[in-house]
Amino acid sequence: MRVLVIGSGAREHALLLALRRDPEVDALAIAPGNAGTAAIAEQHDVDITSGDEVVKLATRFAADLVVIGPEVPLVLGVADAVRSAGIACFGPSRDAARIEGAKSFAKDVMDAAGVRTARSEIVDNPARLDAALDRFGPPSGDPAWVVKDDGLAAGKGVVVTADRDAARAHAASLLDSGHPVLLESFLDGPEVSLFCVVDGESVVPLLAAQDFKRVGDGDTGANTGGMGAYAPLDWLPDEVVTSIVDEVVKPVAAELVTRGCPFSGLLYAGLAITSRGPAVVEFNCRFGDPETQAVLALLKSPLGQLLHAAATGELADQPSLQWSDGAAVAVVLAAENYPGRPRVGDVITGSEASGVLHAGTTRRDDGAVTSSGGRVLSVVGTGADLNAAREVAYGVIGAIRLPGSHFRTDIGLAAAEGRINL
Ligand code: GLY
């Protein structure tokens, strides 16, 4: 099987490594990729938001399967273009990708499917903002305001704050730039990311993972695309995972079928495990980053065959997934000033170590690897348990040198210390 992966992050690096372990995968290509993926796949610099360009590349490469990593090409309909060209594609149609691309659509689908989620309101008129803010946050009994961009924002469009002025300023700046705002009630409880491979009404869950969205230790500072993750979640009972699949993911998949936009690809449910049970924080239409780096490190089943089956309507016939024992931890190395405008162009040393997955990296003509994005690398450690996996990941990341870079030191720590209780 010849597989073309679309994207340039550590998630795509992890996808390539897992695909390479599949005995049926004999050729890999990536567009546009990064300095790390160039070592394991043919690399092509095409505009991945253009369906035509991706189809041309997939045809030239004679791809049997195209796997689309990021949300932007999916929301723009690149998967539709690939499928229209007769090439199997892992990734939802433009219509189904609205589950991530338009939060108001996702809320409507969840409402129709009877799925628990935060109370919410869309504000698209600045004159209505103050009254709407009064219906959320501390005035309504919630500990904080949750203010989101209704569209795509790479995880950075969300502000959760008990400070009304900060909530208002974020909402007003979104409205000023023409973006409708979603106000939500605050969901308490530990967060879980459950990735499900979905084709129509067939749903195959992967291992549950936990993501760390704030930039600083102890969940402090600004929201990011994700600073680290670990899997599996020993503190999450199997029955809760089963209830998420049966009461959240399957009803949403069925509702999308009913609406004429069946989902085919990776449906990512982000949930809070509240005192009243799981409630959806968000859906994404693709593998999450950095959870994928941890989850796929433990996957023993052949990934290419799984994704190809989903892309060709054969998901229901797949054998159960097999996982390695133990745990995996992914820690993100971010550039100075991330999640603000990152410092770029610095030489990175130590990135050749085992377990390093590249994201914002570029190889210079002289062979040096330099930083070219906010999240620069993910370092994945695996081990017999979370403590062992953390030790490996932190041992490697501590030896990488990039001026001004930073990483969280507490990825998976609360779980390793038994401090997550439901
Ligand atoms: N880990 C968050 C995301 O992928 O959106």
Side-chain angles (χ1 to χ4, degrees):
M1 190 192 318
R2 299 176 63 82
V3 186
L4 167 63
V5 173
I6 300 299
S8 62
R11 164 185 54 204
E12 285 75 24
H13 198 167
L15 284 164
L16 287 174
L17 288 175
L19 287 164
R20 196 170 64 156
R21 296 199 296 269
D22 183 333
E24 284 198 8
V25 173
D26 43 31
L28 286 169
I30 185 161
N34 57 46
T37 57
I40 54 173
E42 257 183 43
Q43 198 133 303
H44 298 270
D45 192 13
V46 303
D47 174 4
I48 63 166
T49 63
S50 156
D52 282 353
E53 294 246 338
V54 172
V55 167
K56 269 192 219 144
L57 172 59
T59 307
R60 228 168 44 235
F61 178 65
D64 300 299
L65 176 67
V66 175
V67 177
I68 302 182
E71 61 276 22
V72 172
L74 293 166
V75 166
L76 293 174
V78 171
D80 306 76
V82 172
R83 274 193 278 272
S84 297
I87 302 168
C89 184
F90 185 80
S93 65
R94 179 206 316 248
D95 281 353
R98 284 179 297 162
I99 198 78
E100 173 167 2
K103 293 187 176 58
S104 40
F105 173 77
K107 287 284 180 190
D108 197 45
V109 168
M110 283 188 267
D111 196 31
V115 166
R116 274 193 70 218
T117 181
R119 181 172 64 86
S120 68
E121 198 173 317
I122 289 276
V123 183
D124 53 11
N125 179 348
R128 303 224 167 94
L129 178 58
D130 284 300
L133 283 168
D134 288 343
R135 291 190 282 275
F136 292 84
S140 72
D142 269 348
W145 282 272
V146 180
V147 183
K148 295 183 176 177
D149 188 331
D150 184 56
L152 294 179
K156 289 176 268 173
V158 185
V159 163
V160 180
T161 177
D163 176 349
R164 191 181 196 282
D165 291 343
R168 191 183 192 291
H170 183 57
S173 82
L174 290 171
L175 288 167
D176 277 353
S177 44
H179 293 219
V181 168
L182 186 81
L183 296 181
E184 280 189 342
S185 59
F186 180 80
L187 294 173
D188 64 339
E191 289 199 7
V192 169
S193 301
L194 186 69
F195 298 168
C196 294
V197 178
V198 171
D199 182 35
E201 298 204 29
S202 299
V203 173
V204 174
L206 309 188
L207 286 183
Q210 193 173 46
D211 179 23
F212 292 74
K213 294 208 173 69
R214 301 281 189 148
V215 71
D217 281 1
D219 294 329
T220 53
N223 252 37
T224 69
M227 293 298 289
Y230 68 94
L233 307 183
D234 288 343
W235 50 267
L236 188 68
D238 289 347
E239 312 83 78
V240 178
V241 175
T242 305
S243 77
I244 295 169
V245 172
D246 291 344
E247 292 161 29
V248 174
V249 182
K250 286 186 176 173
V252 163
E255 175 63 22
L256 291 171
V257 170
T258 304
R259 290 181 182 223
C261 50
F263 192 97
S264 177
L266 196 290
L267 188 55
Y268 161 156
L271 308 114
I273 310 300
T274 72
S275 48
R276 296 175 52 219
V280 173
V281 175
E282 64 180 4
F283 274 105
N284 293 317
C285 66
R286 36 84 198 171
F287 281 97
D289 185 344
E291 300 97 308
T292 300
Q293 291 87 302
V295 170
L296 292 186
L298 299 172
L299 180 68
K300 288 209 289 197
S301 299
L303 181 67
Q305 292 168 52
L306 175 69
L307 304 188
H308 190 266
T312 53
E314 288 168 4
L315 185 61
D317 306 326
Q318 286 300 293
S320 305
L321 296 182
Q322 302 298 311
W323 298 96
S324 299
D325 292 334
V329 174
V331 184
V332 170
L333 184 81
E336 182 174 332
N337 202 39
Y338 176 81
R341 189 190 177 86
R343 164 176 170 175
V344 296
D346 293 298
V347 172
I348 307 163
T349 55
S351 67
E352 319 70 31
S354 161
V356 176
L357 302 177
H358 288 235
T361 65
T362 306
R363 193 170 293 278
R364 263 190 346 210
D365 290 347
D366 65 1
V369 176
T370 60
S371 57
S372 53
R375 290 191 293 175
V376 180
L377 303 164
S378 285
V379 177
V380 180
T382 55
D385 59 21
L386 210 39
N387 278 313
R390 276 175 45 81
E391 207 174 307
V392 173
Y394 280 110
V396 174
I397 205 166
I400 296 173
R401 295 286 168 263
L402 170 64
S405 62
H406 55 102
F407 58 87
R408 277 184 66 159
T409 65
D410 62 349
I411 305 301
L413 182 61
E417 293 179 346
R419 285 190 280 117
I420 305 186
N421 300 303
L422 295 181

